[in-house]
Amino acid sequence: MPTSATRPAAAARPSADGVWTSLRGVDGQAVALVVQGGVLRWVGAPDAVPAQHAALPRHDGGGALVTPGLVDCHTHLVYGGQRASEFAMRLAGASYEEVARAGGGIVSTVRATREASEDALFDSASARLVSLLADGVCAIEIKSGYGLSLADERKQLRVARRLAAAHGVTVRTTFLGAHALPPEYAGRPNGSGDYIDAVCRDMLPALHAEGLVDAVDVFCERIAFSLAETEQVFQAAQGLGIPVKLHAEQLSDMGGAALAARYGALSCDHIEHLSQAGIDAMKQSGTVAVLLPGAYYTLRDTHLPPIEALRAAGVPMAVSTDHNPGTSPALSLVLMVNMACTLFRLTVPEALAGVTTHAARALGLQATHGALIVGQPANFVLWRLGSADELAYWFGQRPVKCVVRQGRVAEGAL
């Protein structure tokens, strides 16, 4: 696998235009795809390809399983340093909150991120992104939240934009300035309130004006920000016309999901402690529930998200890596499919929809990603697998045969 420094530029990769045959859909039926101008022009039975496409090149899929390109809808991919020592602390018995209160956690990554140059952050994040892309990812969300100052949040978001261009992948940027209280505000009489004022008054408007913000997120939790502070950020985002999402109900039931739903949030993420009232509000607003089994696993959590209640309510459930240095250093979305099934008891169809259709919706990308639909950009994956069940069954291997991303052959070969 090439490094970030040696990968070919996106525009230099081969076009995927042509008729893709010898494929099997997730239902086990034979299927063919027609790609022209980087767009899916036709999807159907191999013996029914329209005559107007007969002159296009033919690409033999060799009997591969084909799925939409995967969507990783919750990551913190850009950061400095790593936190393996904190992982060891938790293994020795320290809780997530104890690590944070001891000066570790998010604030330790803030220090490392502030000290790193933009180029250094790009190089480290690029190497991590290569791993996710090799797993079939065609769109990804990247949050800020490890700078906690205007200059350093800008630095993270600029890197996210650079990653999109360098790797030919759709990147949605999320401003997570309200991730933790920066050290310079700690100990102030109204430190949290003053910082949220700065987030809303100074940081968000400036970053939005620079075209760096696609969505806004908040960590609403006892160790982070209150419901009132969360709503203040949401109001600022709403005033700028920016969609919101929320780190909600991870450690306790703060009522954040219901608040987010009132603002039409794209998603509520983590949600281990989500109440029925929160579920009902999310159902009403169409907000996606994003499940993050990597964090659940790493933290050795025992409080399961309310999967059956979400299923009964018809709330769409997405699955993501939550890649971050502290609680989910995961670099395989396919592994998260397995974990979502084994830890959270999702069915295989639910887990597959969770990393395609519903994940795209959690980013507001349902018009361009997450499904094999005529008229959408060509983003799909060929797998060396006999059935869709095997996507959830195997772990520890990479069964990708070929990835077509943004209409180009991005991984594997024709």
Side-chain angles (χ1 to χ4, degrees):
M1 180 60 59
T3 67
S4 61
T6 61
R7 287 177 67 85
R13 296 169 199 154
S15 169
D17 281 10
V19 181
W20 292 73
T21 60
S22 299
L23 303 175
R24 286 172 298 104
V26 295
D27 60 359
Q29 299 299 307
V31 66
L33 309 177
V34 174
V35 179
Q36 195 169 29
V39 174
L40 279 174
R41 300 297 183 184
W42 186 87
V43 179
D47 59 0
V49 177
Q52 67 261 35
H53 302 306
L56 291 174
R58 293 270 167 162
H59 306 305
D60 187 342
L65 175 74
V66 61
T67 70
L70 306 190
V71 178
D72 199 352
C73 63
H74 180 130
T75 86
H76 306 251
L77 197 68
V78 178
Y79 56 84
Q82 46 83 12
R83 284 160 41 196
S85 61
E86 293 176 19
F87 176 67
M89 286 175 62
R90 288 196 301 274
L91 292 177
S95 71
Y96 180 77
E97 293 187 44
E98 287 169 341
V99 169
R101 296 189 194 284
I106 293 168
V107 174
S108 66
T109 299
V110 170
R111 289 193 295 269
T113 302
R114 288 179 172 184
E115 291 169 0
S117 69
E118 183 177 315
D119 286 343
L121 291 174
F122 175 84
D123 288 342
S124 61
S126 188
R128 293 187 284 266
L129 181 57
V130 165
S131 292
L132 290 167
L133 297 182
D135 228 24
V137 169
C138 291
I140 186 169
E141 184 226 34
I142 300 177
K143 301 179 189 290
S144 64
Y146 290 130
L148 307 187
S149 70
L150 176 56
D152 293 300
E153 290 288 296
R154 176 187 288 121
K155 182 169 61 174
Q156 282 191 273
L157 294 168
R158 281 174 52 86
V159 167
R161 291 287 193 234
R162 287 175 60 185
L163 290 169
H167 292 271
V169 60
T170 300
V171 171
R172 299 295 283 180
T173 57
T174 296
F175 171 61
L176 183 56
H179 195 195
L181 189 65
E184 58 268 25
Y185 283 82
R188 291 190 188 183
N190 188 39
S192 184
D194 289 345
Y195 178 62
I196 290 297
D197 286 345
V199 165
C200 297
R201 181 189 62 239
D202 303 325
M203 296 167 68
L204 178 55
L207 297 171
H208 172 63
E210 295 169 26
L212 293 174
V213 180
D214 296 322
V216 172
D217 194 356
V218 179
F219 187 16
C220 181
E221 193 52 76
R222 294 187 307 255
I223 61 172
F225 298 100
S226 69
L227 275 177
E229 290 165 337
T230 298
E231 184 162 23
Q232 186 179 343
V233 176
F234 282 179
Q235 289 173 344
Q238 186 180 64
L240 294 170
I242 308 171
V244 301
K245 47 181 44 197
L246 189 67
H247 281 62
E249 276 58 294
Q250 180 183 9
L251 306 174
S252 62
D253 181 10
M254 294 276 289
L259 172 66
R262 289 203 299 273
Y263 283 83
L266 292 171
S267 70
C268 289
D269 306 26
H270 286 290
I271 60 164
E272 282 85 349
H273 294 263
L274 180 64
S275 68
Q276 187 62 50
I279 292 171
D280 293 343
M282 291 172 65
K283 171 64 175 177
Q284 183 69 26
S285 64
T287 298
V288 177
V290 178
L291 307 175
L292 304 173
Y296 179 92
Y297 170 81
T298 302
L299 292 171
R300 297 188 294 178
D301 203 348
T302 57
H303 198 291
L304 286 164
I307 301 300
E308 188 54 48
L310 288 163
R311 184 182 287 138
V315 174
M317 294 180 284
V319 175
S320 183
T321 62
D322 186 22
H323 177 83
N324 73 82
T327 62
S328 188
L331 287 169
S332 169
L333 189 54
V334 173
L335 176 59
M336 297 303 104
V337 169
N338 174 274
M339 285 188 172
C341 293
T342 56
L343 297 177
F344 295 164
R345 304 297 190 267
L346 263 62
T347 66
V348 172
E350 285 173 336
L352 184 55
V355 294
T356 54
T357 307
H358 299 326
R361 182 174 171 182
L363 297 181
L365 290 175
Q366 60 269 31
T368 56
H369 291 75
L372 299 176
I373 295 177
V374 172
Q376 288 196 356
N379 291 292
F380 57 87
V381 186
L382 308 188
W383 307 89
R384 296 186 184 91
L385 297 172
S387 72
D389 293 345
E390 292 187 62
L391 270 174
Y393 172 70
W394 297 108
F395 58 94
Q397 69 160 322
R398 283 212 156 114
V400 168
K401 175 183 175 70
C402 179
V403 180
V404 170
R405 195 167 59 242
Q406 296 182 346
R408 295 190 170 274
V409 179
E411 312 284 343
L414 293 172

